[in-house]
Amino acid sequence: MKYIVALDQGTTSSRAVVFDDQARIVAAQSIEFPQLYPHPGWVEHRPEDILNSQLEALRQAVEKSGVSAEDIAAIGIANQRETTLLWDRKTGKPLCNAIVWQCRRTAPLVERLKQDGLGNVLRDRTGLIPDAYFSGTKLQWMLDSIPGARERAARGELCFGTVDCFLAWHLTGGRAHVTDATNAARTLLFNIHTQRWDEMLLRAMNIPEALLPEVVDSSRVVGFLDRRILGREIPIAALAGDQHAALFGQGCFEPGMCKNTYGTGCFVLMNTGEAPVQSKNNLVTTVAWRLDGRPSYALEGSVFVAGAAVQWLRDEMGLVRSAAETEAVAASIPDNANVYFVPAFTGLGAPHWDMYSRGTIVGLTRGTGRAHIVRAALESIAYQSADVINAMSADSDIRTATLRVDGGASANNFLMQFQADILGVNVLRPRVVETTAMGAAMLAGRAVGIWNDRELAALPQPDRVFMPAMEASARDVLMRRWQRAVERSRAWARED
């Protein structure tokens, strides 16, 4: 029997999952690492924390599995996207902390690009909405802020990369400076039509092409694991942004198939096939994956704060001891008592795209208690997802009949039932909810011949279907009130 190891490098933890050749989980290990908030609206990670936590998760997962390194056929990498790193090509030493996708520090640079008339150009070429969320202005900020960095970059002395690229570089001992098309498509620098770095956009952000990685397929051997890590050179055979890996891991191979991953944020992707679909409702067009040189495309809507709202309840407010506790607390009351929580801690993503929104709780009365706040936080995840999915249906002219779900919060039965109710569609939870890791494993297994495309389609298996039980009239009332709450959060951080 052969095994595949998936590395799932996320925003708050690094995870490694060992799969057998039937796509069954043999062992898994997750290691959290610190979040850094040096200024309001700024979010950073220490690059060493990203790398060391991922290496430790890999070693521990393999040890727990009892699998020999000789029997590991390949390693696949899925990663938090947009998070931006810059390091020395010779030494591998980072020049600064990683700027996390949630960070809003580059909002003024985005505004400048729009003022220069590049908003539509960026949208047309990259499929993305100009926003501080994406990597391009984060890299621009680094080059502007670190003395001598731009000159060193032009001389080829530095490497830029998203987390997949950073991990691949270090795991191969500096032999592979590559990123895949899904991650490149999240930078504001990559033309999704030509599948190349866009020279005009690089000039607009004054970014030297010499520091950019090679863009490769999502399923391909890009290098070999440094022998010192597990004692054997193992093919690194897949790179994919976490949400694209989850779409693949859910088996959403046909146009119109849709999934939502409930992690730190919420990420809804719909496969649109070989042709990119231009959104009229503030969604982004992205590369779903690239196989054998051929890209498939997707519509995507991103909710910035989902599971992070539950972390806030736990870590900052002390309202729950664990994320799992929220299910019973929310179910302990019959309704939300008209309390709505808009967790716009870092602005609002799709379909609102307001960099200046901030977290808001409305509807508080003297009778409001802990359970109402907890329930409102869970409901906010479903409302935000519904906003995205409704916009997606309008763009694609496809009414999703079944939403496939995964990620940590998909284990919350209250949330999944409320999601089905507020959407009015079935919500399907798979047997393996580690679909980001599973997608990375499936892509890696494909690259080394463990599975062919027909066998891949049969791997995802359903576990439970949540069916809507709410009257349409009640759903409409809740959604109208949610929209009123969203309006009250808008533009709060904009300078007067």
Side-chain angles (χ1 to χ4, degrees):
M1 182 173 284
K2 288 294 184 181
Y3 299 86
I4 305 286
V5 179
L7 305 182
D8 179 6
Q9 203 298 304
T11 307
T12 58
S13 67
S14 295
R15 191 160 179 79
V17 184
V18 181
F19 291 87
D20 66 17
D21 54 17
Q22 303 300 308
R24 296 174 297 211
I25 293 177
V26 179
Q29 182 64 47
S30 182
I31 297 177
E32 292 190 5
F33 57 90
Q35 310 294 298
L36 307 177
Y37 309 102
H39 301 286
W42 290 31
V43 189
E44 295 181 356
H45 291 156
R46 281 185 287 266
E48 297 85 355
D49 290 341
I50 293 174
L51 178 62
N52 293 337
S53 61
Q54 189 62 82
L55 285 172
E56 188 59 27
L58 169 62
R59 292 189 182 101
Q60 290 188 25
V62 171
E63 182 179 350
K64 285 170 66 175
S65 73
V67 170
S68 166
E70 297 297 324
D71 293 326
I72 300 174
I75 294 172
I77 298 173
N79 59 285
Q80 54 164 314
R81 305 169 301 168
E82 298 94 23
T83 294
T84 301
L85 299 106
L86 186 65
W87 66 95
D88 186 292
R89 188 179 296 273
K90 185 175 181 180
T91 67
K93 184 178 179 180
L95 274 69
C96 60
N97 282 341
I99 300 180
V100 178
W101 58 273
Q102 298 164 316
C103 186
R104 312 309 294 171
R105 77 184 67 178
T106 64
L109 295 177
V110 175
E111 295 291 355
R112 191 181 308 163
L113 289 171
K114 292 194 287 188
Q115 290 166 8
D116 291 342
L118 290 172
N120 289 334
V121 174
L122 286 163
R123 183 67 187 265
D124 292 342
R125 297 189 180 205
T126 70
L128 306 176
I129 293 171
D131 191 86
Y133 175 30
F134 303 109
S135 309
T137 57
K138 299 182 194 300
L139 177 57
Q140 182 184 3
W141 186 94
M142 289 176 169
L143 297 176
D144 287 341
S145 303
I146 301 171
R150 184 167 276 107
E151 293 74 21
R152 292 189 64 199
R155 293 195 298 267
E157 297 175 9
L158 304 181
C159 292
F160 151 75
T162 42
V163 170
D164 63 312
C165 179
F166 179 73
L167 288 178
W169 198 92
H170 282 278
L171 293 176
T172 62
R175 293 189 294 271
H177 185 211
V178 295
T179 190
D180 89 301
T182 69
N183 280 290
R186 313 298 297 187
T187 61
L188 280 178
L189 304 172
F190 185 71
N191 190 312
I192 62 172
H193 308 285
T194 65
Q195 293 288 297
R196 296 179 181 276
W197 298 115
D198 193 287
E199 292 182 4
M200 177 185 176
L201 300 180
L202 293 176
R203 286 196 303 272
M205 291 177 236
N206 196 15
I207 292 173
E209 191 167 1
L211 85 166
L212 302 181
E214 176 190 359
V215 181
V216 299
D217 286 353
S218 309
S219 177
R220 171 187 147 177
V221 176
V222 299
F224 293 86
L225 185 70
D226 191 316
R227 182 183 298 274
R228 291 171 294 181
I229 296 174
L230 289 181
R232 173 176 172 259
E233 291 190 340
I234 299 170
I236 296 175
L239 304 174
D242 49 10
Q243 307 313 318
H244 313 261
L247 188 70
F248 200 85
Q250 286 275 24
C252 295
F253 302 145
E254 299 298 325
M257 298 182 75
C258 185
K259 73 89 195 171
N260 190 10
T261 295
Y262 299 80
T264 303
C266 262
F267 303 91
V268 186
L269 272 77
M270 176 187 283
N271 186 332
T272 61
E274 297 179 357
V277 172
Q278 189 77 23
S279 174
K280 300 180 181 65
N281 291 283
N282 291 324
L283 304 177
V284 301
T285 304
T286 194
V287 176
W289 45 72
R290 196 171 84 188
L291 305 177
D292 305 322
R294 298 190 303 274
S296 294
Y297 294 92
L299 279 172
E300 175 174 344
S302 301
V303 171
F304 292 162
V305 175
V310 176
Q311 285 182 314
W312 179 78
L313 293 179
R314 181 192 67 188
D315 299 339
E316 307 301 330
M317 304 303 291
L319 295 180
V320 292
R321 292 184 298 274
S322 68
E325 186 182 351
T326 61
E327 181 176 333
V329 174
S332 69
I333 52 177
D335 54 49
N336 65 10
N338 207 25
V339 174
Y340 291 81
F341 176 16
V342 184
F345 300 140
T346 56
L348 285 171
H352 310 286
W353 291 105
D354 186 342
M355 294 185 287
Y356 302 103
S357 285
R358 288 297 180 265
T360 306
I361 302 176
V362 298
L364 300 179
T365 68
R366 184 64 183 83
T368 302
R370 161 179 173 256
H372 297 103
I373 304 297
V374 171
R375 181 170 177 138
L378 290 182
E379 289 186 354
S380 77
I381 299 172
Y383 289 131
Q384 292 178 99
S385 299
D387 284 344
V388 171
I389 293 164
N390 291 334
M392 198 167 279
S393 296
D395 274 339
S396 63
D397 291 327
I398 300 172
R399 175 65 175 167
T400 299
T402 300
L403 176 67
R404 290 162 174 79
V405 299
D406 54 69
S410 69
N412 189 305
N413 292 328
F414 173 88
L415 174 58
M416 292 301 97
Q417 183 58 55
F418 190 77
Q419 187 71 85
D421 288 340
I422 210 67
L423 277 174
V425 304
N426 291 342
V427 169
L428 187 153
R429 186 168 63 197
R431 191 170 300 166
V432 176
V433 295
E434 298 261 15
T435 52
T436 298
M438 186 163 175
M442 289 164 64
L443 287 163
R446 181 186 187 276
V448 297
I450 298 294
W451 302 297
N452 59 35
D453 288 345
R454 179 182 55 79
E455 292 167 333
L456 286 172
L459 293 179
Q461 296 292 320
D463 172 54
R464 179 172 173 182
V465 177
F466 296 85
M467 294 179 288
M470 183 181 290
E471 294 290 336
S473 58
R475 181 185 311 129
D476 292 343
V477 169
L478 290 173
M479 287 300 296
R480 281 199 305 271
R481 289 175 177 170
W482 162 254
Q483 295 302 334
R484 288 170 59 197
V486 168
E487 286 304 313
R488 282 150 177 80
S489 79
R490 302 292 294 269
W492 183 260
R494 187 182 293 277
E495 293 295 331
D496 293 332

